[in-house]
């Protein structure tokens, strides 16, 4: 099993805890300042979406090592309402909360790989990966 | 029983403490005694035992106030609550075992012993938990105040130009405070240009950006303009990746540059003067 650690999201301050965890892991893996900022910002977006739209959930951070290439995976999962139209939430400016609607498309651009698994009424799991080059 | 137990604890104190220490070592390894200097362990465990004795000999009120003092002191030593709970448990286990061995208690009077035990262990546990949670509550509320004091004040720098340095994480509550202080300050200082300095903000995500944009809009409504300064290179890159449009802002990487721009905007500049 790859090394995984996680933070449960219940309050706004848990977002800060998740960010901190991600930054520490990113540092350990060897990411530079710019990538550290990208990774923490992505975590912040995903954690806040959990807090806002699902209420509770968790952020897991996994260290990756694929054939000697290191990376970090952010796995954001919740059992909230799910996302009805995945294509729509990936559009810049789409928001149901009066936000900027920049979070989801932003995370996709901040990271290397991005995947959404969601089912209406069941919940959402978003996996975002950054590789160390 | 009410007299026998304290008498026993009093006379066998050294041995109890020895065996209790052994138990703690088994549970926590040497780590336990490394984090606690010897004389502190010695003193505290004697005091603890003394407390038990006094509970069983003195009247209730006396015990309560002693217990309170003791718990407060334990908390101040900074040990984890788990450790302290374990220590209490081990202490009472040790006493129990030794009472058996000394045949002070046996099958016929053990129930009576548990009654006595309940009288000192339960209030002790409760008092310790209470003392811990009081300390935590106090700490949290003090930190809240400290955070609020950190939160954003608008500083008039020169005529018409003010700076608001933002330091630390911005949550919803702080964002509100920033907005209030900003607007109130702009009006009070008759600022024409406000520099929002985000050098000290660790993460600028969409929520923070949104609040900054809203603050700038509000500042415009009261007739001033807002500049965003102190944008570190890595923050600039994440803002771009998020696709956040800051075109309506004048942005600069340092406060110093921002200051020059602000002066230019108000038709002034800094000049060196010869003597
Ligand atoms: N975990 C989730 N569960 C359910 N719906 C979600 C979840 N995450 C995002 N959404 C939906 O997707 C929309 C777009 O999310 P996105 O993060 O891009 O923008 P936003 O949160 O509305 O604004 P911001 O720019 O502040 O992030 C949200 O408004 C919300 O309706
Ligand atoms: Mg969002």
């Amino acid at each position: 099993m790859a090394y995984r650690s996680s933070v449960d999201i219940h309050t706004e301050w848990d977002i800060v805890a998740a960010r901190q965890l991600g930054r520490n892991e990113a540092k350990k893996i060897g990411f530079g300042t710019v990538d550290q900022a990208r990774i923490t910002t992505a975590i912040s977006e995903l954690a806040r979406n959990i807090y806002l739209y699902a209420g509770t959930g968790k952020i897991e951070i996994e260290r990756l090592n694929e054939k000697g290439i290191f990376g970090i995976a952010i796995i954001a999962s919740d059992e909230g309402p799910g996302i009805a139209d995945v294509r729509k939430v990936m559009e810049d400016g789409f928001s149901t909360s009066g936000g900027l609607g920049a979070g989801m498309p932003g995370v996709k651009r901040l990271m290397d790989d991005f995947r959404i698994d969601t089912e209406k009424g069941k919940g959402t799991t978003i996996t975002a990966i950054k590789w160390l080059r | 029983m009410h007299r026998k137990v304290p008498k026993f604890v009093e006379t066998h104190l050294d041995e109890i403490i020895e065996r209790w220490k052994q138990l703690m070592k088994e549970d926590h390894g040497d780590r336990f005694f490394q984090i606690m200097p010897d004389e502190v362990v010695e003193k505290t465990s004697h005091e603890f035992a003394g407390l038990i004795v006094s509970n069983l000999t003195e009247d209730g009120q006396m015990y309560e106030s002693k217990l309170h003092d003791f718990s407060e002191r334990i908390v101040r030593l900074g040990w984890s609550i788990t450790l302290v709970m374990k220590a209490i448990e081990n202490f009472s286990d040790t006493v129990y075992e030794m009472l058996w061995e000394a045949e002070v208690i046996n099958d016929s009077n053990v129930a009576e012993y548990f009654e006595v035990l309940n009288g000192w262990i339960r209030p002790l546990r409760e008092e310790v938990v209470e003392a811990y949670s009081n300390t935590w509550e106090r700490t949290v509320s003090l930190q809240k105040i400290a955070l609020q004091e950190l939160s954003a004040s608008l500083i008039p720098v020169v005529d018409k130009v003010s700076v608001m340095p933002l330091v630390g994480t911005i949550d919803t509550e702080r964002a509100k405070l920033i907005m209030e202080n900003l607007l109130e300050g702009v009006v009070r200082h008759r600022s024409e240009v406000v520099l929002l300095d985000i050098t000290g903000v660790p993460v600028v995500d969409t929520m923070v950006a949104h609040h900054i944009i809203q603050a700038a809009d509000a500042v415009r409504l009261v007739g001033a303009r807002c500049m965003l300064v102190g944008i570190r290179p890595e923050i600039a890159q994440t803002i771009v990746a998020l696709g956040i449009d800051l075109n309506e802002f004048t942005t600069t990487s340092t406060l110093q540059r921002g200051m020059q721009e602000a002066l230019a905007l108000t038709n002034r500049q800094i000049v060196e003067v010869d003597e």
Side-chain angles (χ1 to χ4, degrees):
Chain A
M1 232 328 256
Y3 182 81
R4 231 186 222 212
S5 38
S6 83
V7 172
D8 289 334
I9 307 296
H10 294 282
T11 72
E12 219 180 339
W13 287 101
D14 295 326
I15 300 170
V16 181
R19 246 157 44 180
Q20 202 56 42
L21 171 70
R23 191 186 291 279
N24 288 341
E25 288 297 300
K27 238 184 238 171
K28 275 185 214 150
I29 295 167
F31 285 103
T33 358
V34 175
D35 277 339
Q36 279 176 35
R38 289 192 175 113
I39 292 160
T40 27
T41 308
I43 292 171
S44 194
E45 296 301 336
L46 296 175
R48 189 170 303 280
N49 281 356
I50 289 176
Y51 173 70
L52 285 178
Y53 309 117
T56 59
K58 67 171 181 233
I59 297 284
E60 290 169 286
I61 305 294
E62 191 173 314
R63 293 186 203 162
L64 305 174
N65 180 355
E66 256 174 43
K67 300 184 192 103
I69 301 173
F70 293 96
I72 192 168
I74 310 166
I75 303 132
S77 56
D78 65 64
E79 294 175 2
I83 297 169
D85 190 342
V86 173
R87 216 173 35 197
K88 211 157 208 156
V89 301
M90 294 312 293
E91 281 170 17
D92 275 299
F94 176 81
S95 173
T96 56
S97 65
L100 292 177
M104 297 281 261
V107 172
K108 191 173 172 174
R109 283 189 293 260
L110 286 166
M111 304 293 282
D112 294 328
D113 302 334
F114 182 86
R115 202 179 75 214
I116 304 183
D117 296 302
T118 184
E119 196 176 328
K120 226 182 157 223
K122 287 265 170 65
T124 305
T125 299
I126 294 169
T127 311
I129 293 173
K130 186 104 210 152
W131 296 106
L132 186 66
R133 307 165 219 277
Chain B
M1 190 61 67
H2 278 270
R3 261 192 303 276
K4 267 193 233 156
V5 175
K7 188 103 199 106
F8 183 87
V9 172
E10 221 169 4
T11 47
H12 295 77
L13 197 53
D14 287 336
E15 199 191 338
I16 293 173
I17 287 174
E18 246 351 278
R19 283 172 64 165
W20 169 78
K21 280 208 262 186
Q22 204 50 45
L23 259 184
M24 290 308 287
K25 258 190 199 150
E26 280 162 27
D27 279 347
H28 288 270
D30 284 336
R31 198 163 46 97
F32 174 62
F33 291 101
Q34 270 161 20
I35 55 173
M36 309 192 189
D38 240 4
E39 74 265 15
V40 176
V41 174
E42 210 64 40
K43 196 167 155 272
T44 313
S45 39
H46 272 92
E47 213 180 313
F48 180 48
L51 194 70
I52 289 161
V53 177
S54 88
N55 164 40
L56 299 168
T57 50
E58 287 163 35
D59 67 281
Q61 213 149 38
M62 188 67 179
Y63 178 59
E64 257 170 47
S65 84
K66 273 193 182 172
L67 183 58
H68 186 76
D69 285 352
F70 180 74
S71 310
E72 295 269 302
R73 231 163 323 126
I74 289 274
V75 171
R76 244 173 279 134
L77 288 172
W79 301 337
S80 83
I81 187 167
T82 334
L83 189 85
V84 173
M85 285 297 155
K86 194 73 206 165
I88 294 172
E89 191 188 315
N90 282 344
F91 196 93
S92 81
D93 285 355
T94 307
V95 172
Y96 179 68
E97 258 170 43
M98 286 178 61
L99 284 168
W100 267 107
E101 286 164 16
E103 289 169 13
V104 178
I105 49 175
N106 49 47
D107 286 327
S108 66
N109 69 0
V110 66
E112 210 182 319
Y113 168 71
F114 277 118
E115 225 170 89
V116 175
L117 179 83
N118 259 345
W120 50 268
I121 290 296
R122 192 148 32 83
L124 178 63
R125 281 220 178 95
E126 280 165 8
E127 193 64 46
V128 168
V129 170
E130 167 114 3
Y132 269 97
S133 68
N134 282 345
T135 322
W136 289 327
E137 272 167 30
R138 202 162 49 226
T139 312
V140 169
S141 77
L142 282 177
Q143 281 174 347
K144 255 205 184 127
I145 294 169
L147 199 65
Q148 255 161 24
E149 283 174 348
L150 255 179
S151 290
S153 33
L154 189 70
I155 306 160
V157 184
V158 294
D159 189 32
K160 296 177 190 166
V161 180
S162 307
V163 177
M164 181 179 277
L166 298 177
V167 178
T169 296
I170 297 175
D171 63 338
T172 325
E173 206 173 310
R174 274 196 80 197
K176 240 184 266 162
L177 209 75
I178 289 168
M179 178 77 97
E180 281 165 21
N181 291 354
L182 193 57
L183 291 180
E184 194 234 344
V186 165
V187 173
R188 182 152 45 104
H189 304 308
R190 298 199 175 80
S191 315
E192 286 178 16
V193 182
V194 181
L195 302 156
L196 269 185
D197 182 6
I198 60 165
T199 314
V201 179
V203 175
V204 178
D205 57 9
T206 55
M207 190 212 55
V208 172
H210 195 193
H211 282 301
I212 289 173
I213 291 170
Q214 282 178 329
D217 283 344
V219 164
R220 206 167 310 138
L221 283 178
V222 294
R225 35 186 312 183
C226 208
M227 286 172 53
L228 197 57
V229 307
I231 304 175
R232 285 170 280 134
E234 69 270 21
I235 298 295
Q237 293 203 37
T238 56
I239 289 178
V240 170
L242 287 171
I244 293 164
D245 181 12
L246 294 177
N247 279 340
E248 288 187 32
F249 276 91
T250 308
T251 57
T252 64
S253 56
T254 64
L255 179 58
Q256 198 181 358
R257 284 244 184 100
M259 201 59 211
Q260 286 166 358
E261 296 241 3
L263 288 173
L265 278 171
T266 49
N267 302 316
R268 287 172 298 174
Q269 61 179 356
I270 296 176
V271 289
E272 274 182 41
V273 286
D274 294 328
E275 281 293 303

